Coordinates of all heavy atoms in Angstrom, one line a residue:
I1032 N 16.6 -17.3 12.3 CA 15.4 -16.8 11.6 C 14.2 -17.3 12.3 O 13.2 -16.5 12.6 CB 15.4 -17.2 10.1 CG1 16.6 -16.6 9.4 CG2 14.1 -16.9 9.5 CD1 16.7 -17.2 8.0
N1033 N 14.1 -18.6 12.7 CA 12.9 -19.2 13.3 C 12.5 -18.5 14.6 O 11.4 -18.2 14.9 CB 13.1 -20.7 13.4 CG 11.9 -21.4 13.8 OD1 10.9 -21.2 13.2 ND2 12.0 -22.2 14.9
Q1034 N 13.6 -18.3 15.4 CA 13.3 -17.7 16.7 C 12.8 -16.2 16.6 O 11.8 -15.9 17.3 CB 14.6 -17.6 17.6 CG 14.3 -17.2 19.0 CD 13.4 -18.1 19.8 OE1 13.6 -19.3 19.8 NE2 12.4 -17.5 20.4
A1035 N 13.3 -15.5 15.6 CA 12.8 -14.1 15.4 C 11.3 -14.2 14.9 O 10.5 -13.5 15.4 CB 13.6 -13.5 14.4
L1036 N 11.0 -15.2 14.0 CA 9.6 -15.2 13.5 C 8.7 -15.7 14.6 O 7.5 -15.2 14.7 CB 9.7 -16.2 12.3 CG 10.4 -15.7 11.1 CD1 10.4 -16.8 10.0 CD2 9.8 -14.4 10.5
L1037 N 9.1 -16.6 15.4 CA 8.3 -17.0 16.5 C 8.0 -16.0 17.5 O 6.9 -15.8 18.0 CB 8.9 -18.2 17.3 CG 8.9 -19.6 16.5 CD1 9.7 -20.6 17.2 CD2 7.5 -20.1 16.4
N1038 N 9.0 -15.1 17.8 CA 8.8 -14.0 18.7 C 7.9 -13.0 18.1 O 7.0 -12.5 18.8 CB 10.2 -13.3 19.0 CG 11.1 -14.1 19.9 OD1 10.6 -15.0 20.7 ND2 12.3 -13.9 19.8
I1039 N 8.0 -12.7 16.9 CA 7.1 -11.7 16.2 C 5.7 -12.2 16.2 O 4.7 -11.5 16.5 CB 7.6 -11.4 14.8 CG1 8.9 -10.7 14.8 CG2 6.6 -10.7 13.9 CD1 9.7 -10.6 13.5
K1040 N 5.5 -13.5 15.9 CA 4.2 -14.1 15.9 C 3.6 -14.0 17.3 O 2.4 -13.7 17.4 CB 4.3 -15.6 15.5 CG 2.9 -16.3 15.4 CD 3.1 -17.7 15.0 CE 1.7 -18.4 15.0 NZ 1.8 -19.8 14.9
A1041 N 4.3 -14.4 18.3 CA 3.8 -14.3 19.7 C 3.4 -12.9 20.1 O 2.3 -12.6 20.6 CB 4.8 -14.8 20.7
L1042 N 4.2 -11.9 19.7 CA 3.8 -10.5 20.0 C 2.6 -10.1 19.2 O 1.7 -9.5 19.8 CB 5.0 -9.6 19.5 CG 6.2 -9.7 20.4 CD1 7.4 -9.0 19.7 CD2 6.0 -9.0 21.8
K1043 N 2.4 -10.4 18.0 CA 1.3 -10.1 17.2 C 0.0 -10.8 17.8 O -1.1 -10.1 17.8 CB 1.5 -10.5 15.7 CG 2.4 -9.5 15.0 CD 2.6 -9.9 13.6 CE 3.5 -8.9 12.8 NZ 3.6 -9.2 11.4
E1044 N 0.1 -12.0 18.1 CA -1.0 -12.8 18.7 C -1.4 -12.2 20.1 O -2.6 -12.2 20.4 CB -0.7 -14.3 18.9 CG -0.6 -15.0 17.6 CD -0.2 -16.4 17.7 OE1 0.2 -16.9 18.8 OE2 -0.3 -17.1 16.7
A1045 N -0.5 -11.5 20.8 CA -0.8 -10.9 22.0 C -1.3 -9.4 21.8 O -1.4 -8.6 22.8 CB 0.4 -10.9 23.0
S1046 N -1.4 -9.0 20.5 CA -1.9 -7.7 20.2 C -0.9 -6.6 20.7 O -1.2 -5.5 21.0 CB -3.3 -7.4 20.7 OG -4.2 -8.2 20.2
I1047 N 0.4 -7.0 20.6 CA 1.5 -6.1 21.0 C 2.1 -5.6 19.7 O 2.6 -6.4 18.9 CB 2.6 -6.7 21.8 CG1 1.9 -7.2 23.1 CG2 3.8 -5.8 22.1 CD1 2.9 -8.1 24.0
P1048 N 2.0 -4.3 19.4 CA 2.5 -3.8 18.1 C 4.0 -3.9 18.0 O 4.7 -3.8 19.0 CB 2.1 -2.3 18.1 CG 1.7 -2.0 19.5 CD 1.4 -3.3 20.2
V1049 N 4.5 -4.3 16.8 CA 5.9 -4.4 16.6 C 6.3 -3.3 15.7 O 5.9 -3.3 14.5 CB 6.2 -5.8 15.9 CG1 7.7 -6.0 15.7 CG2 5.7 -6.9 16.8
A1050 N 7.1 -2.4 16.2 CA 7.6 -1.2 15.4 C 8.6 -1.6 14.4 O 8.8 -0.9 13.4 CB 8.1 -0.2 16.4
G1051 N 9.4 -2.7 14.7 CA 10.5 -3.1 13.8 C 11.4 -4.0 14.6 O 11.2 -4.2 15.8
M1052 N 12.5 -4.3 13.9 CA 13.5 -5.2 14.5 C 14.9 -4.6 14.4 O 15.2 -3.9 13.4 CB 13.5 -6.6 13.8 CG 12.3 -7.3 13.8 SD 12.4 -8.8 12.8 CE 12.4 -8.1 11.2
V1053 N 15.7 -4.9 15.4 CA 17.1 -4.6 15.4 C 17.8 -5.9 15.4 O 17.6 -6.7 16.4 CB 17.5 -3.6 16.6 CG1 19.0 -3.4 16.6 CG2 16.8 -2.3 16.5
L1054 N 18.6 -6.2 14.5 CA 19.3 -7.5 14.4 C 20.7 -7.4 14.6 O 21.3 -6.4 14.2 CB 19.0 -8.2 13.1 CG 17.5 -8.4 12.7 CD1 17.4 -8.9 11.3 CD2 16.9 -9.3 13.7
T1055 N 21.3 -8.4 15.1 CA 22.8 -8.5 15.0 C 23.2 -9.3 13.7 O 22.5 -10.3 13.4 CB 23.4 -9.2 16.2 OG1 22.8 -10.5 16.4 CG2 23.2 -8.4 17.5
H1056 N 24.1 -8.9 13.0 CA 24.5 -9.5 11.8 C 25.2 -10.8 12.1 O 26.2 -10.8 12.8 CB 25.4 -8.6 11.0 CG 25.9 -9.2 9.7 ND1 25.1 -9.2 8.6 CD2 27.1 -9.8 9.4 CE1 25.8 -9.8 7.6 NE2 26.9 -10.2 8.0
A1057 N 24.7 -11.9 11.5 CA 25.4 -13.1 11.6 C 26.4 -13.4 10.5 O 25.9 -13.5 9.3 CB 24.3 -14.3 11.6
V1058 N 27.6 -13.5 10.8 CA 28.7 -13.7 9.8 C 28.3 -15.0 9.0 O 28.1 -16.1 9.7 CB 30.1 -13.8 10.4 CG1 31.1 -14.1 9.4 CG2 30.3 -12.4 11.1
G1059 N 28.4 -15.0 7.7 CA 28.1 -16.2 6.9 C 26.6 -16.5 6.6 O 26.3 -17.4 6.0
N1060 N 25.8 -15.6 7.2 CA 24.3 -15.9 7.0 C 23.7 -14.6 6.4 O 22.7 -14.1 6.8 CB 23.7 -16.1 8.4 CG 24.0 -17.4 9.0 OD1 24.2 -18.4 8.3 ND2 24.1 -17.5 10.3
S1061 N 24.3 -14.3 5.3 CA 23.7 -13.1 4.6 C 22.3 -13.5 4.1 O 22.0 -14.6 3.7 CB 24.6 -12.7 3.4 OG 24.6 -13.7 2.5
G1062 N 21.4 -12.6 4.1 CA 20.0 -12.8 3.7 C 19.1 -13.1 4.9 O 17.9 -13.1 4.7
N1063 N 19.6 -13.2 6.1 CA 18.7 -13.5 7.2 C 17.7 -12.3 7.4 O 16.6 -12.5 7.7 CB 19.5 -13.7 8.5 CG 20.1 -15.1 8.6 OD1 20.0 -15.9 7.7 ND2 20.7 -15.4 9.7
A1064 N 18.2 -11.1 7.5 CA 17.4 -9.9 7.7 C 16.3 -9.8 6.6 O 15.1 -9.6 7.0 CB 18.2 -8.6 7.6
E1065 N 16.6 -10.1 5.4 CA 15.6 -10.1 4.3 C 14.6 -11.2 4.5 O 13.4 -10.9 4.3 CB 16.3 -10.2 3.0 CG 17.1 -9.0 2.6 CD 18.5 -9.0 3.2 OE1 19.0 -10.0 3.8 OE2 19.2 -7.9 3.2
A1066 N 15.0 -12.4 4.9 CA 14.1 -13.5 5.1 C 13.1 -13.2 6.2 O 11.9 -13.4 6.1 CB 14.9 -14.8 5.4
I1067 N 13.7 -12.7 7.3 CA 12.8 -12.3 8.5 C 11.8 -11.3 8.1 O 10.6 -11.4 8.3 CB 13.6 -11.9 9.6 CG1 14.4 -13.1 10.2 CG2 12.8 -11.4 10.8 CD1 15.5 -12.7 11.2
R1068 N 12.3 -10.2 7.4 CA 11.4 -9.2 7.0 C 10.3 -9.7 6.0 O 9.1 -9.4 6.2 CB 12.2 -8.1 6.2 CG 11.4 -6.9 5.8 CD 12.0 -6.0 4.7 NE 12.3 -6.7 3.6 CZ 13.5 -6.8 2.9 NH1 14.5 -6.1 3.4 NH2 13.7 -7.5 1.9
D1069 N 10.7 -10.5 5.0 CA 9.7 -11.0 4.1 C 8.7 -12.0 4.7 O 7.5 -11.9 4.3 CB 10.5 -11.8 2.9 CG 11.3 -10.9 2.1 OD1 11.2 -9.6 2.2 OD2 12.2 -11.4 1.3
F1070 N 9.1 -12.8 5.6 CA 8.1 -13.7 6.2 C 7.3 -13.1 7.3 O 6.2 -13.5 7.5 CB 8.8 -14.9 6.8 CG 9.3 -15.9 5.8 CD1 10.6 -16.1 5.5 CD2 8.4 -16.7 5.1 CE1 11.1 -17.0 4.6 CE2 8.8 -17.6 4.1 CZ 10.1 -17.8 3.8
S1071 N 7.8 -12.0 7.9 CA 7.0 -11.4 9.1 C 6.3 -10.1 8.7 O 5.5 -9.7 9.4 CB 8.0 -11.1 10.2 OG 8.9 -10.0 9.9
N1072 N 6.7 -9.5 7.6 CA 6.2 -8.1 7.2 C 6.5 -7.1 8.3 O 5.7 -6.2 8.5 CB 4.7 -8.2 6.9 CG 4.4 -9.1 5.7 OD1 5.1 -8.9 4.7 ND2 3.4 -9.9 5.8
V1073 N 7.6 -7.3 9.0 CA 8.1 -6.3 9.9 C 9.4 -5.7 9.4 O 10.3 -6.4 9.0 CB 8.4 -7.0 11.3 CG1 9.0 -6.1 12.3 CG2 7.0 -7.5 11.9
E1074 N 9.5 -4.4 9.5 CA 10.7 -3.7 9.0 C 11.9 -4.0 9.8 O 11.9 -4.0 11.1 CB 10.4 -2.2 9.0 CG 11.6 -1.4 8.5 CD 11.3 0.1 8.6 OE1 10.3 0.6 9.2 OE2 12.2 0.9 8.2
V1075 N 13.1 -4.2 9.2 CA 14.3 -4.3 9.9 C 14.9 -2.9 10.0 O 15.2 -2.3 9.0 CB 15.4 -5.2 9.1 CG1 16.7 -5.2 9.8 CG2 14.8 -6.6 9.0
L1076 N 14.9 -2.3 11.2 CA 15.3 -1.0 11.4 C 16.8 -0.8 11.4 O 17.2 0.3 11.0 CB 14.7 -0.5 12.8 CG 13.2 -0.6 13.0 CD1 12.8 -0.4 14.4 CD2 12.5 0.3 12.0
L1077 N 17.5 -1.8 11.9 CA 18.9 -1.6 12.0 C 19.5 -3.0 12.1 O 19.0 -3.9 12.7 CB 19.3 -0.8 13.3 CG 20.7 -0.4 13.5 CD1 21.3 0.5 12.4 CD2 20.8 0.3 14.9
E1078 N 20.7 -3.2 11.5 CA 21.4 -4.4 11.6 C 22.8 -4.1 12.1 O 23.5 -3.3 11.5 CB 21.5 -5.2 10.2 CG 22.1 -6.6 10.3 CD 21.9 -7.4 9.1 OE1 21.4 -6.8 8.1 OE2 22.3 -8.5 9.0
L1079 N 23.1 -4.6 13.3 CA 24.4 -4.3 13.9 C 25.4 -5.4 13.7 O 25.1 -6.6 13.7 CB 24.2 -4.1 15.4 CG 23.2 -3.0 15.8 CD1 22.9 -3.1 17.3 CD2 23.8 -1.6 15.5
Y1080 N 26.7 -5.0 13.6 CA 27.7 -5.9 13.5 C 28.5 -6.1 14.8 O 28.5 -5.1 15.5 CB 28.8 -5.5 12.4 CG 28.2 -5.6 11.0 CD1 27.3 -4.6 10.5 CD2 28.5 -6.7 10.2 CE1 26.7 -4.7 9.3 CE2 27.9 -6.8 9.0 CZ 27.0 -5.9 8.5 OH 26.5 -6.0 7.2
H1081 N 29.0 -7.2 15.1 CA 29.6 -7.5 16.4 C 30.8 -6.6 16.5 O 31.6 -6.3 15.6 CB 30.1 -8.9 16.5 CG 30.9 -9.2 17.7 ND1 30.2 -9.4 18.9 CD2 32.2 -9.4 17.9 CE1 31.2 -9.6 19.8 NE2 32.3 -9.6 19.3
K1082 N 31.0 -6.0 17.7 CA 32.1 -5.2 18.1 C 32.5 -5.5 19.5 O 31.6 -5.6 20.4 CB 31.8 -3.7 18.0 CG 31.5 -3.3 16.5 CD 31.2 -1.8 16.5 CE 31.0 -1.2 15.2 NZ 30.1 -2.0 14.3
E1083 N 33.7 -5.7 19.8 CA 34.2 -6.1 21.1 C 33.9 -4.9 22.1 O 33.5 -5.1 23.2 CB 35.7 -6.4 21.1 CG 36.0 -7.7 20.4 CD 35.4 -8.9 21.1 OE1 35.3 -8.9 22.3 OE2 35.1 -9.9 20.4
D1084 N 34.1 -3.7 21.6 CA 33.9 -2.5 22.4 C 32.4 -2.1 22.3 O 32.0 -1.6 21.3 CB 34.8 -1.4 22.0 CG 34.8 -0.2 22.9 OD1 33.8 0.0 23.7 OD2 35.7 0.7 22.8
K1085 N 31.7 -2.3 23.3 CA 30.2 -2.1 23.3 C 29.9 -0.6 23.1 O 28.9 -0.2 22.6 CB 29.5 -2.7 24.5 CG 29.7 -4.2 24.7 CD 29.4 -4.9 23.4 CE 29.7 -6.4 23.6 NZ 30.0 -7.1 22.4
R1086 N 30.8 0.3 23.5 CA 30.7 1.7 23.3 C 30.5 2.0 21.8 O 29.8 2.9 21.4 CB 31.8 2.5 23.9 CG 31.8 2.4 25.4 CD 33.1 3.1 26.0 NE 34.2 2.3 25.5 CZ 35.5 2.5 25.9 NH1 35.7 3.6 26.6 NH2 36.5 1.8 25.4
L1087 N 31.2 1.2 21.0 CA 31.1 1.4 19.5 C 29.6 1.1 19.0 O 29.1 1.7 18.1 CB 32.1 0.6 18.8 CG 33.5 1.0 19.0 CD1 34.5 0.0 18.3 CD2 33.8 2.5 18.6
L1088 N 29.0 0.1 19.7 CA 27.7 -0.3 19.3 C 26.7 0.7 19.7 O 25.8 1.1 18.9 CB 27.3 -1.6 20.0 CG 27.8 -2.9 19.4 CD1 27.4 -4.1 20.3 CD2 27.3 -3.1 18.0
V1089 N 26.9 1.3 20.9 CA 26.1 2.4 21.4 C 26.1 3.6 20.4 O 25.1 4.2 20.0 CB 26.4 2.8 22.8 CG1 25.7 4.1 23.3 CG2 26.1 1.7 23.8
A1090 N 27.3 3.9 20.0 CA 27.5 5.0 19.1 C 26.9 4.8 17.8 O 26.3 5.7 17.2 CB 29.1 5.3 18.9
E1091 N 26.9 3.5 17.3 CA 26.3 3.2 16.0 C 24.8 3.3 16.1 O 24.2 3.9 15.2 CB 26.7 1.7 15.7 CG 26.2 1.4 14.3 CD 26.7 0.0 13.9 OE1 27.7 -0.5 14.5 OE2 26.1 -0.6 13.0
V1092 N 24.2 2.9 17.2 CA 22.8 3.1 17.4 C 22.4 4.5 17.5 O 21.4 5.0 16.9 CB 22.3 2.3 18.7 CG1 20.8 2.7 19.0 CG2 22.4 0.8 18.5
E1093 N 23.2 5.3 18.2 CA 22.9 6.8 18.3 C 23.0 7.5 16.9 O 22.2 8.3 16.6 CB 23.9 7.4 19.2 CG 23.6 7.1 20.7 CD 24.6 7.6 21.7 OE1 25.7 8.0 21.3 OE2 24.3 7.6 22.9
R1094 N 24.0 7.1 16.1 CA 24.2 7.7 14.8 C 23.0 7.3 13.9 O 22.6 8.1 13.0 CB 25.5 7.2 14.2 CG 26.7 8.0 14.5 CD 27.9 7.7 13.6 NE 28.2 6.3 13.5 CZ 28.9 5.6 14.3 NH1 29.5 6.1 15.4 NH2 29.1 4.3 14.2
S1095 N 22.5 6.1 14.1 CA 21.4 5.6 13.2 C 20.1 6.5 13.3 O 19.3 6.6 12.4 CB 21.1 4.2 13.4 OG 20.3 4.1 14.6
G1096 N 20.0 7.2 14.5 CA 18.8 7.9 14.7 C 17.5 7.1 15.0 O 16.4 7.6 15.1
I1097 N 17.7 5.8 15.1 CA 16.5 4.9 15.2 C 15.7 5.1 16.5 O 14.5 5.1 16.5 CB 16.9 3.4 15.0 CG1 15.7 2.6 14.8 CG2 17.7 2.9 16.3 CD1 15.0 2.9 13.6
I1098 N 16.4 5.4 17.6 CA 15.7 5.7 18.8 C 14.9 6.9 18.8 O 13.7 6.9 19.2 CB 16.7 5.7 20.0 CG1 17.4 4.3 20.2 CG2 16.0 6.2 21.3 CD1 18.4 4.3 21.2
D1099 N 15.3 8.0 18.2 CA 14.6 9.2 18.1 C 13.4 9.0 17.1 O 12.3 9.4 17.4 CB 15.5 10.3 17.5 CG 16.5 10.8 18.5 OD1 16.3 10.7 19.7 OD2 17.6 11.3 18.0
R1100 N 13.6 8.2 16.1 CA 12.5 7.9 15.2 C 11.4 7.1 15.8 O 10.3 7.4 15.6 CB 13.1 7.2 13.9 CG 12.1 7.1 12.8 CD 12.8 6.5 11.6 NE 12.2 5.2 11.3 CZ 12.8 4.3 10.6 NH1 14.1 4.5 10.2 NH2 12.2 3.1 10.5
L1101 N 11.8 6.2 16.6 CA 10.8 5.4 17.3 C 10.0 6.2 18.3 O 8.8 6.1 18.5 CB 11.4 4.1 17.9 CG 11.9 3.1 16.9 CD1 12.7 2.0 17.7 CD2 10.7 2.4 16.2
L1102 N 10.7 7.0 19.1 CA 10.1 7.8 20.1 C 9.2 8.9 19.6 O 8.3 9.3 20.3 CB 11.1 8.3 21.1 CG 11.9 7.3 21.9 CD1 13.0 8.0 22.7 CD2 11.0 6.5 22.8
S1103 N 9.5 9.3 18.4 CA 8.7 10.4 17.8 C 7.4 9.9 17.1 O 6.6 10.7 16.7 CB 9.5 11.2 16.8 OG 9.9 10.5 15.7
S1104 N 7.4 8.6 16.9 CA 6.2 8.1 16.2 C 5.0 7.7 17.0 O 5.1 7.7 18.2 CB 6.6 6.9 15.3 OG 7.1 5.9 16.1

């Protein structure tokens, strides 16, 4: 949580807009995404779960439509 908040703070201080965050789900750490969102006021766009086959991750991102949404805004 701390590293994500520090990164967001540094981006904001450098006047770099933050469209949102894509997080990897940490097993046993439920609530991390909500904590980061609440403290940073940055939307969590997608939370990915670990998969050995990275093609499954790519497919999950594609299915989410998040890239199209970001590019169209």
